[in-house]
Amino acid sequence: MIPNRDILQLVKVASADIHCRQSLPLLARRAGWSPFHLHRAFRQTVGETPRQFIERLRLERAAATLAASKVSVVAVALAFGFGSHEVFSRAFRRHFDCTPTQYRQKALTGASAQERATHLELMRSIGPCVRLFHLPAQPTPARKTAMPAPTITFKQLQAQPILFIQRRVPGTQLQPLFAECFGKLYMHGHQAGLAIAGHPMARYVVIGAGLWTVDSIMPLLVPATSEGEMQAGYLADGEVVLAVHTGPYERLPESYVAIEHWMEANNLQSAGPHWESYVTDPGEVPDPEQWRTEIFWPVVAKSK
């Protein structure tokens, strides 16, 4: 078995090439594996073949560039490795169900120049990793040092527009859930030209002994409308405890213990479901020890 972090190193190589010129033989030679071995391992970890992954990145980055800039369609096509305007338009229509010009006209409606630049940067970083959040750090290496204690603060939040998919799953199935739902959410966001506000999030509505009720969330700059299983809503404003967890996802429970101790010491109690924001893109930072997750927990003061 190829360790997840080795696949993440290849994701980093492929996604760092802004023009997406990497291929299966190139990646295999770089890794020192056979193309067949790499193809199978890459698909198992990432959920796509290397070719599907690279083609998706090319089209998504081209779409984000169209939405966020005034670069001509032809220039965008050539910049992302398409041989001609016609080849680009055919591939773009298959992926987005509209032409590049039609997409540019509808994408990021009402967004400012700064918001468009933010959207472009987020799409470049999230796209390669959209199915990798909550990926286990297997095989788990022997730990030489203790995990750093989470940084915990008190914060006032403003209401945040979101689009989310709610599912009930066993707590052991979070990674497959997020791989599917984040993939669906961000694909829909691309196709609809929605202005993305941040990294994927997960809200834990009900945590039980059996099934958990979990919302997979895409934060937005402006409110969207519900469509099928994708529900429009908000992360409510108000007071929260914010904890910054650094390390593998498997060790998040240790940070939750620290949060509950902190709340107890500060006479606070839960005021609603908590949520996580996956700030670090695993494909950009393959080392799980450096992954950063922000935990938001709504609170109120305990009555005396």
Side-chain angles (χ1 to χ4, degrees), residues 38-204:
L38 172 59
H39 184 279
R40 183 175 60 181
F42 194 97
R43 183 172 185 174
Q44 182 178 358
T45 301
V46 181
E48 300 169 291
T49 67
R51 181 175 180 176
Q52 290 169 336
F53 173 81
I54 291 167
E55 182 72 1
R56 177 176 62 81
L57 287 192
R58 293 169 72 202
L59 288 167
E60 289 182 353
R61 288 175 171 179
T65 302
L66 287 171
S69 73
K70 296 182 180 179
V71 178
S72 72
V73 174
V74 172
V76 170
L78 297 177
F80 289 97
F82 295 93
S84 68
H85 180 279
E86 291 73 19
V87 171
F88 175 55
S89 294
R90 285 197 299 269
F92 195 96
R93 183 184 285 275
R94 285 196 301 269
H95 196 75
F96 291 100
D97 198 30
C98 65
T99 68
T101 300
Q102 290 168 337
Y103 183 86
R104 169 171 268 168
Q105 291 170 346
K106 72 176 183 179
L108 308 190
T109 302
S112 66
Q114 181 57 51
E115 289 169 338
R116 289 172 184 267
T118 298
H119 171 87
L120 177 60
E121 183 56 37
L122 284 169
M123 288 299 92
R124 284 175 176 168
S125 63
I126 295 171
C129 312
V130 73
R131 294 178 175 87
L132 299 175
F133 296 101
H134 246 274
L135 187 73
Q138 85 31 254
T140 304
R143 192 167 301 279
K144 297 180 180 180
T145 59
M147 187 186 77
T151 303
I152 303 176
T153 56
F154 192 65
K155 189 169 184 177
Q156 181 79 30
L157 296 183
Q158 301 296 319
Q160 170 68 61
I162 60 173
L163 202 64
F164 67 96
I165 298 174
Q166 186 171 101
R167 296 276 181 84
R168 283 171 55 78
V169 297
T172 56
Q173 295 299 308
L174 293 179
Q175 201 282 320
L177 168 73
F178 295 148
E180 176 191 355
C181 292
F182 289 153
K184 287 184 174 180
L185 285 163
Y186 280 82
M187 171 62 78
H188 174 77
H190 264 300
Q191 292 179 331
L194 301 178
I196 309 303
H199 287 81
M201 299 177 173
R203 178 169 53 190
Y204 298 92

Side-chain angles (χ1 to χ4, degrees), residues 134 147 150 171 174 204 212 245 247-261 274 276 293 295 297:
H134 246 274
M147 187 186 77
L174 293 179
Y204 298 92
W212 294 15
H245 166 91
Y249 301 121
E250 296 97 311
R251 302 196 70 183
L252 276 164
E254 298 176 34
S255 288
Y256 279 105
V257 170
I259 294 169
E260 294 197 58
H261 281 312
H274 61 273
E276 298 167 352
T293 305
I295 303 168
W297 200 324

Side-chain angles (χ1 to χ4, degrees), residues 4-18 20 22 27 30 42 46 53 57 61 124-125 128-129 132 281-287 290-291:
N4 283 342
R5 65 178 64 205
D6 290 349
I7 296 295
L8 293 180
Q9 289 285 357
L10 293 180
V11 170
K12 180 177 181 179
V13 169
S15 58
D17 178 0
I18 192 64
C20 306
Q22 300 295 322
L27 292 173
R30 186 181 187 95
F42 194 97
V46 181
F53 173 81
L57 287 192
R61 288 175 171 179
R124 284 175 176 168
S125 63
C129 312
L132 299 175
D281 302 307
E284 287 190 345
V285 184
D287 182 3
Q290 299 181 39
W291 292 350

